[in-house]
Amino acid sequence: MTTFTAWKFDTPDGAQHAADALKSAEQDRLVKVLDRAIITWPDGAARPDMHHTNEDKLRGTGWGAFWGLLFGTLFFVPVLGAAAGAALGAIGKAVSAVGLNEDQLQTIRDQVTPGTSMLCAVTTEGDMDRLGERFHGLHSTLVATNLTEAEKSLLMETFG
């Protein structure tokens, strides 16, 4: 099953540490990473930065467009009042194939604040127990996922 997860970190470099752990886990065949993106918002910066990473150039182009749409709308398009709802509704339809809803998009937007970072990953074939060991101690919060409630509970137990 393809899984989308968004993990928040309380430091601007926390998501990069997690991305490094994820890459190492992939090299050890604990998970297959289809794509990942990191959002960092250093203290004092006017807005967050997004970094998309994918070694597969063919798939990376498609995912790059997805990340650009998602984060561009969430963080870089001025969203005020009714315009915010319209923007989230528009991208909600575009990202529904990944399994995210408008409430999750709003949660992602609300959670990324100055001094924080977020790792968003699209993965498959994960060995949850061994992968959880790699992420232990990274102090992350699961913000959004396309998993069922039962799968989410297992993920939280494993990564907690």
Side-chain angles (χ1 to χ4, degrees):
M1 174 179 156
T2 301
T3 303
F4 173 89
T5 51
W7 300 90
K8 177 192 175 188
F9 299 85
D10 291 330
T11 61
D13 62 346
Q16 184 59 57
H17 293 302
D20 294 342
L22 185 62
K23 185 172 184 168
S24 173
E26 181 177 33
Q27 290 169 342
D28 292 340
R29 298 187 177 166
L30 301 180
V31 66
K32 183 175 182 180
V33 179
L34 301 178
D35 206 51
R36 63 189 169 277
I38 298 171
I39 297 288
T40 58
W41 197 337
D43 283 321
R47 61 186 178 130
D49 290 319
M50 193 265 301
H51 303 280
H52 164 249
T53 305
N54 189 303
E55 287 76 30
D56 183 338
K57 299 301 179 196
L58 181 61
R59 279 191 310 198
T61 302
W63 282 109
F66 168 78
W67 297 124
L69 172 67
L70 176 64
F71 296 124
T73 304
L74 288 178
F75 298 110
F76 304 118
V77 172
V79 286
L80 303 170
L88 288 177
I91 68 163
K93 290 178 183 171
V95 300
S96 63
V98 178
L100 296 177
N101 61 41
E102 288 180 45
D103 290 338
Q104 290 171 312
L105 295 173
Q106 184 63 48
T107 300
I108 290 171
R109 186 176 194 287
D110 292 344
Q111 291 293 315
V112 178
T113 58
T116 67
S117 59
M118 181 173 286
L119 170 64
C120 295
V122 181
T123 60
T124 189
E125 302 173 20
D127 180 334
M128 285 299 123
D129 291 332
R130 293 188 58 206
L131 194 54
E133 293 170 4
R134 300 286 179 101
F135 280 78
H136 189 43
L138 291 178
H139 307 290
S140 60
T141 302
L142 180 65
V143 174
T145 183
N146 64 348
L147 296 172
T148 66
E149 284 303 315
E151 293 166 331
K152 182 178 175 181
S153 293
L154 177 61
L155 183 69
M156 296 304 293
E157 187 178 304
T158 302
F159 283 74

